[in-house]
Amino acid sequence: MNLKELARKLDLSPTTVSRALNGYPEVNEATRERVAAAARKYNYQPNTRAIRLATGRAMAVGHVIPVATRHEIVNPVFADFIAGAGEVYSRNGYDLLLSVVPDDDEERAYRELKSRGTVDGVIVHSPRMQDERIPLLHDLGIPFVVHGRATDSARPYPWVDVNNRRAFQRATEFLLDLGHRRIALLNGLEFMDFAIRRRAGYEAALAAHGITPDPAIMAAEEMTETCGHRLGVALLSAPNPPTAFLVSSMIMGLGLRRAIEERGLRMGRDVSVIIHDDELSYLRNGDDVPIFTATRSSVREAGRQAAAMLIGLIRGEAGAPRELLMEAELIIGQSTGPHRG
Amino acid sequence: MNLKELARKLDLSPTTVSRALNGYPEVNEATRERVAAAARKYNYQPNTRAIRLATGRAMAVGHVIPVATRHEIVNPVFADFIAGAGEVYSRNGYDLLLSVVPDDDEERAYRELKSRGTVDGVIVHSPRMQDERIPLLHDLGIPFVVHGRATDSARPYPWVDVNNRRAFQRATEFLLDLGHRRIALLNGLEFMDFAIRRRAGYEAALAAHGITPDPAIMAAEEMTETCGHRLGVALLSAPNPPTAFLVSSMIMGLGLRRAIEERGLRMGRDVSVIIHDDELSYLRNGDDVPIFTATRSSVREAGRQAAAMLIGLIRGEAGAPRELLMEAELIIGQSTGPHRG
DNA sequence: ATCACATTTCAAACCGCTTTGGATTGGGAC
DNA sequence: GTCCCAATCCAAAGCGGTTTGAAATGTGAT
């Protein structure tokens, strides 16, 4: 059933039917209801392809997912972020278009998205510092929202981010208050913007206590279980090992815990650990009692917020906020305890 | 730059330009090259929306991701499956459309996908046994491929799956050969088809050794870290605890390991564990030496295969295989050892 | 009765491409 | 020289909606 057929059944012009269904004012309330009833009866659904061509809008949002050609890692937070964003898109009639692109081909991907008009806007994932995608998207004139931030961007740009700096600063302070002085940092790779900010927070808290950060107990690696384990083993068996760890992801934290327990130590008693918890749905930090003490911020909620912001931008809604800094909670779990001198 | 403008620049009709670019035979080789050159020069990209309307094809594939309204879990294998599928789509000019849908609303989602013509085909995720989506998609006439299988489907349907039964049968046999007799099964929720098949393999291997499965050491739960931990604690502290575990996912295995180590036991020495490893990119089972002994099968590869099969179906390629059973490898890691009587 | 004006409806153009059904041209067969 | 056919190209009609500009109808004021 298409518009023309429906119009013929109703003995109306396609124009009127279209307007009736789209809520235009210049149509009689009685006819509008007649049209609506018929549309329901015949289960009329306007053809998306036609709407898109006619209106010039794609009614779709793109998420370009760069897949590192070398280590081929898919960011584990994607699934939840997208689940959150997807909710908002479907409520607003937008489709979610996923482009999986080798990371050396991203620029071409964005240009094509623009010139072929497949999407009305995009979400930028995993920003690096001085990310080239931001000026590119500005130039192309595609509405976009960055999940995270890119330090040192020349122009302002819309973003949704967690206050990574504050979170890690608070977490470090918490450990300091427990008496820990030798606090290791297991960070993500530091070309990622969030990793830089977390380190900054960590260093600021140390500095405020007159402690100079020790590069020997600061690592920046891929946030995997095995990396967490390897770093844990190395740091714990070194001379003057840390008594506490600040870890950038739950998965890495699981690896660290493995290293701790292999050495016959107890997490929370012998060694304190704070992780960052993205509240991934398949990796909950405990059901009721948190396993890890954690800085917690829902990445799914970030997805919702970013999607809402992007739709606002696409619709050209003025005055909507263009920046959103989400504060992480500090959740006290069983993985931290006072320093045992 | 659109087709009409390009045609005018070339002093040709849009017809000819279109044909030249799409490789139709009725155009002079010389003009074809002239057209191609101009297209490059002006960076002409045909408008996707127009192509879609004109051809009636959506050039897009849908992945409907049901989000459980209650526990809100996003399947952690999605990200990698989709990364694999996405590679194949982009190579073939298809877009990947993600619909995040509350799981009680899935039927409507599929019907709408059909009647609005947004996609040419879909991938069905996480099939249950007797999955209602399969007859629905058959009726709607949308090409589809199921990732996994649905026991007891009346009609045949295209699928890509791991041989879950064989994998768990082999794993169980391996444990039996090591002398274990009390082998626990930590399975996924058993309305999922793969969980049923894994249990069948487990039970078959036990039966071949004259062992009656003991429901007391068989669990079917959500495959999370905390569930693995909770079940591990419960089973290990029960009278007559198992000496080996067969676990349906790596994440669950991490939780189990935590329970084992909390009790002062060593995995691989005191308790043997075999997990199923989907080779998730962010959750590798060790870098060179596997942490867990595992049945291993790449979910990303499954994504590639399913995508390729679906595109074949959409294109109406006859003779292409409609079913693909991938065998899992048994990888020997450090988490298994002989039974210590 | 007449006119201005708001309300309601419609015909037709348009979005940018594909595709059908000719039209034109040139060369070879007869 | 005529006819046929292959090789090229084109005009126009689509795809299924939206949107513009105009027409038809009804209403109240004059």
Side-chain angles (χ1 to χ4, degrees), chain B residues 1-19 21 35 38 42 44-47 50:
Chain B
M1 171 68 59
N2 63 23
L3 185 65
K4 211 193 290 182
E5 290 166 25
L6 184 63
R8 197 153 29 224
K9 293 233 187 251
L10 285 161
D11 216 7
L12 284 170
S13 76
T15 312
T16 306
V17 176
S18 168
R19 283 180 167 150
L21 293 172
V35 171
Y42 297 109
Y44 166 72
Q45 306 263 32
N47 181 304

Side-chain angles (χ1 to χ4, degrees), chain B residues 24-65:
Chain B
Y24 282 74
E26 57 270 82
V27 44
N28 191 316
E29 230 12 80
T31 34
R32 188 192 303 282
E33 270 158 35
R34 208 158 61 83
V35 171
R40 258 194 311 280
K41 177 176 166 197
Y42 297 109
N43 187 31
Y44 166 72
Q45 306 263 32
N47 181 304
T48 328
R49 297 190 288 265
I51 295 180
R52 286 175 175 164
L53 180 56
T55 60
R57 284 171 298 154
M59 292 310 286
V61 171
H63 286 235
V64 176
I65 300 199

Side-chain angles (χ1 to χ4, degrees), chain A residues 250 254 257 280-287 291, chain B residues 71-76 186-189 220-232 247-258 283:
Chain A
M250 170 119 177
L254 292 173
R257 185 179 62 193
L280 303 186
S281 57
Y282 55 90
L283 200 64
R284 288 250 174 270
N285 181 17
D287 291 322
I291 307 168
Chain B
H71 32 273
E72 293 240 316
I73 283 211
V74 183
N75 189 330
L186 305 195
N187 209 352
L189 291 168
E221 292 277 348
E222 255 166 24
M223 300 190 292
T224 61
E225 206 270 351
T226 43
C227 275
H229 177 255
R230 186 162 39 73
L231 291 171
V247 185
S248 252
S249 93
M250 170 123 178
I251 293 184
M252 212 172 186
L254 293 173
L256 172 61
R257 185 179 63 194
R258 178 157 63 100
L283 200 62

Side-chain angles (χ1 to χ4, degrees), chain A residues 3 18-19 22 24 44:
Chain A
L3 185 65
S18 169
R19 283 181 168 153
N22 290 316
Y24 281 74
Y44 166 73

Side-chain angles (χ1 to χ4, degrees), chain A residues 23-334:
Chain A
Y24 281 74
E26 57 270 81
V27 45
N28 190 316
E29 227 17 75
T31 31
R32 189 193 303 282
E33 270 159 37
R34 210 159 60 86
V35 170
R40 258 195 310 280
K41 177 176 166 197
Y42 297 108
N43 187 30
Y44 166 73
Q45 305 264 31
N47 182 304
T48 328
R49 296 191 287 267
I51 293 181
R52 286 176 174 163
L53 179 56
T55 60
R57 285 170 297 153
M59 292 310 284
V61 171
H63 286 236
V64 176
I65 299 199
V67 172
T69 28
R70 287 161 310 139
H71 32 273
E72 293 240 317
I73 284 212
V74 182
N75 190 329
V77 307
F78 271 144
D80 270 86
F81 183 89
I82 280 178
E87 284 174 33
V88 176
Y89 296 143
S90 38
R91 265 206 302 280
N92 289 276
Y94 281 80
D95 281 337
L96 163 42
L97 206 83
L98 217 64
S99 295
V100 178
V101 175
D103 59 0
D104 49 3
D105 209 22
E106 251 186 297
E107 177 168 344
R108 206 190 46 72
Y110 282 113
R111 290 191 179 281
E112 222 178 277
L113 243 32
K114 170 68 179 186
S115 55
R116 310 185 73 120
T118 350
V119 300
D120 297 319
V122 298
I123 298 276
V124 175
H125 289 279
S126 315
R128 277 82 74 171
M129 37 185 317
Q130 294 172 306
D131 202 298
E132 348 68 62
R133 291 172 292 180
I134 294 174
L136 174 63
L137 288 167
H138 262 136
D139 290 351
L140 291 174
I142 307 180
F144 68 97
V145 170
V146 181
H147 176 212
R149 275 171 291 175
T151 316
D152 298 332
S153 166
R155 275 181 283 181
Y157 59 92
W159 52 263
V160 170
D161 198 7
V162 175
N163 195 339
N164 283 299
R165 187 194 152 99
R166 165 101 52 100
F168 268 44
Q169 184 163 1
R170 268 183 73 191
T172 308
E173 279 163 6
F174 181 75
L175 291 169
L176 289 166
D177 289 347
L178 286 170
H180 295 280
R181 287 297 172 271
R182 210 155 157 70
I183 303 171
L185 175 68
L186 305 194
N187 208 353
L189 291 168
E190 289 186 351
F191 62 85
M192 308 293 279
D193 192 83
F194 74 86
I196 307 275
R197 291 178 195 272
R198 288 181 183 174
R199 178 147 67 90
Y202 161 84
E203 289 177 344
L206 291 182
H209 278 67
I211 301 176
T212 317
D214 177 0
I217 57 172
M218 295 165 63
E221 293 276 348
E222 254 166 24
M223 299 188 292
T224 60
E225 207 270 351
T226 42
C227 274
H229 176 256
R230 185 162 39 72
L231 291 170
V233 168
L235 288 171
L236 288 171
S237 59
N240 194 12
T243 64
F245 286 82
L246 204 50
V247 185
S248 254
S249 92
M250 170 119 177
I251 293 185
M252 211 173 186
L254 292 173
L256 171 61
R257 185 179 62 193
R258 178 155 63 100
I260 291 171
E261 284 167 359
E262 273 175 10
R263 296 184 65 81
L265 301 172
R266 258 286 283 296
M267 186 174 77
R269 191 191 59 192
D270 308 307
V271 179
S272 286
V273 175
I274 299 185
I275 61 150
H276 180 74
D277 175 12
D278 291 300
E279 294 201 70
L280 303 186
S281 57
Y282 55 90
L283 200 64
R284 288 250 174 270
N285 181 17
D287 291 322
D288 22 272
V289 191
I291 307 168
F292 289 103
T293 296
T295 56
R296 187 168 77 181
S297 177
S298 163
V299 75
R300 188 186 288 224
E301 180 59 22
R304 291 194 197 97
Q305 298 289 346
M309 188 183 286
L310 182 54
I311 289 178
L313 284 172
I314 291 171
R315 293 198 178 137
E317 286 163 12
R322 299 282 180 259
E323 299 176 349
L324 177 63
L325 191 56
M326 302 170 68
E327 291 298 335
E329 292 174 275
L330 183 65
I331 300 294
I332 313 301
Q334 303 165 307

Side-chain angles (χ1 to χ4, degrees), chain B residues 278-293:
Chain B
D278 291 300
E279 295 200 67
L280 302 186
S281 59
Y282 55 90
L283 200 62
R284 289 251 173 268
N285 181 17
D287 291 322
D288 23 273
V289 191
I291 307 168
F292 289 103
T293 296

